[in-house]
Amino acid sequence: MVSGLTVDLEAHRTCIKIPTTGYNELMKAVNKSNEHVLAIGACFNETADSHLICVQADDGQYQTQAISIHNQPRKVTGSCFIIFSSALKASAGYLAKSSIVEDGLMVQITVETMAELRRSLREMKDHTVTCGRLDQSESQELVCVQWVEEKCTMFQKSEYKENGKIIRWTEVYIMILTDSAEHNRLTERIARAFCLALCPHLKLLKEDGMAKLGLRVTFDSQEVWKEFGSNGQPLPAQYLNALNSVLIPVIHSRGRKRDGEPIVMELIFYILENIT
């Protein structure tokens, strides 16, 4: 798992975006992996309009599906992992082969291509793998590995408006901080998800005297806890389904870190009148 790494699946092109801040994590994956297989977990892709999921049917078999995130036509689909395997023989007639496996992507490449890919990763260089048959250039697909700079602004997009009200993220408290870049990104995603989930309910919340809201998330090596409250009391149950459906995927996108320190983060939000 590399923090901030995402996979965009598009027509005839797949883009693996690796933040430069994740170089050390990626090198751990490269160094510990089998020389013939490189498997990397990806983060939840918030910029995609759909995402791969794996569903177990009644017969016990697993099937791949894609769910829409924003009820929009599928242009970019997120993937949960990417696997490069150097099991492809040069005599097979393929440059490389890509296929969806469960909720991720498998790319079969030659031993030579694997060596080139690992070299590019170690040198933090972009790399492109061309997939398809040698004799069918018109149907070839590209798998592109790109290094990207990720901006970590703590209060980016911290305000959302709906129905004449504004919900604004105003404060954050993080205890036991070890990797500030990772936690900044995670905190931003949690704050954004919290605001979006409550946007349809801002008017009712403010009318009921819940203009100041708090969210506490606790991570440890075994479990994740989350609490929502206002005025020293938990939020009413009527808001929990909306919050859980949006927050749970974001919170669990971090993954479990067995050897990491426990983390407790508290976020404070205010609901204000939109007078513009």
Side-chain angles (χ1 to χ4, degrees):
M1 185 77 177
V2 176
S3 301
L5 184 149
T6 58
V7 180
D8 292 351
L9 303 176
E10 303 177 56
H12 306 296
R13 185 174 185 269
T14 294
C15 187
I16 303 159
K17 298 178 181 178
I18 311 173
T20 54
T21 54
Y23 178 79
N24 290 336
E25 286 181 296
L26 181 65
M27 286 303 98
K28 290 179 183 178
V30 171
N31 294 332
K32 291 181 180 179
S33 65
N34 183 297
E35 63 177 325
H36 300 295
V37 178
L38 179 58
I40 305 170
C43 296
F44 183 76
N45 193 339
E46 297 180 22
T47 63
D49 48 49
S50 58
H51 215 279
L52 293 180
I53 62 171
C54 189
V55 179
Q56 187 176 24
D58 293 337
D59 60 3
Q61 299 297 312
Y62 288 94
Q63 298 178 344
T64 300
Q65 296 183 14
I67 57 170
S68 173
I69 297 176
H70 303 298
N71 296 318
Q72 297 177 354
R74 285 171 48 198
K75 296 181 180 178
V76 179
T77 301
S79 170
C80 294
F81 62 85
I82 176 81
I83 296 177
F84 291 97
S85 168
S86 62
L88 186 67
K89 303 297 183 184
S91 58
Y94 284 87
L95 294 164
K97 295 174 68 175
S98 66
S99 57
I100 292 173
V101 179
E102 296 184 353
D103 51 2
L105 183 71
M106 164 81 79
V107 182
Q108 299 179 56
I109 55 180
T110 63
V111 172
E112 293 76 17
T113 302
M114 175 67 85
E116 294 171 1
L117 172 64
R118 288 175 178 268
R119 187 180 308 113
S120 295
L121 294 176
R122 292 185 187 279
E123 297 175 359
M124 201 183 285
K125 293 181 179 179
D126 293 353
H127 190 88
T128 298
V129 176
T130 302
C131 300
R133 295 192 62 88
L134 288 165
D135 55 355
Q136 294 181 358
S137 59
E138 69 281 356
S139 61
Q140 291 175 351
E141 300 179 4
L142 300 179
V143 176
C144 305
V145 178
Q146 295 181 349
W147 291 92
V148 296
E149 295 288 342
E150 189 168 17
K151 297 180 180 179
C152 297
T153 305
M154 282 299 293
F155 284 87
Q156 186 179 17
K157 297 183 180 178
S158 58
E159 186 176 276
Y160 293 82
K161 303 175 183 179
E162 191 160 322
N163 296 327
K165 299 290 186 290
I166 299 172
I167 183 169
R168 179 178 295 162
W169 174 32
T170 61
E171 301 165 66
V172 58
Y173 305 94
I174 301 180
M175 285 68 82
I176 316 178
L177 184 61
T178 55
D179 182 349
S180 59
E182 177 195 351
H183 294 148
N184 285 358
R185 293 190 297 269
L186 180 62
T187 308
E188 283 181 8
R189 293 197 296 266
I190 290 174
R192 184 161 57 246
F194 185 90
C195 291
L196 290 173
L198 290 185
C199 268
H201 311 286
L202 296 182
K203 188 173 185 294
L204 183 59
L205 282 164
K206 195 167 191 301
E207 289 175 351
D208 287 345
M210 291 179 281
K212 182 180 180 181
L213 305 165
L215 165 64
R216 176 184 294 173
V217 183
T218 303
F219 298 88
D220 69 14
S221 59
Q222 300 296 325
E223 194 55 77
V224 177
W225 294 272
K226 57 190 181 310
E227 300 172 88
F228 321 105
S230 180
N231 301 317
Q233 300 293 325
L235 283 185
Q238 67 195 82
Y239 304 108
L240 299 186
N241 285 341
L243 285 167
N244 285 329
S245 64
V246 174
L247 276 170
I248 287 175
V250 175
I251 290 172
H252 287 281
S253 70
R254 176 180 182 266
R256 293 182 182 176
K257 300 197 173 182
R258 300 180 181 226
D259 55 349
E261 293 276 4
I263 303 166
V264 179
M265 59 175 62
E266 295 183 357
L267 288 73
I268 306 299
F269 305 80
Y270 281 88
I271 301 176
L272 310 170
E273 295 292 334
N274 185 4
I275 59 174
T276 59

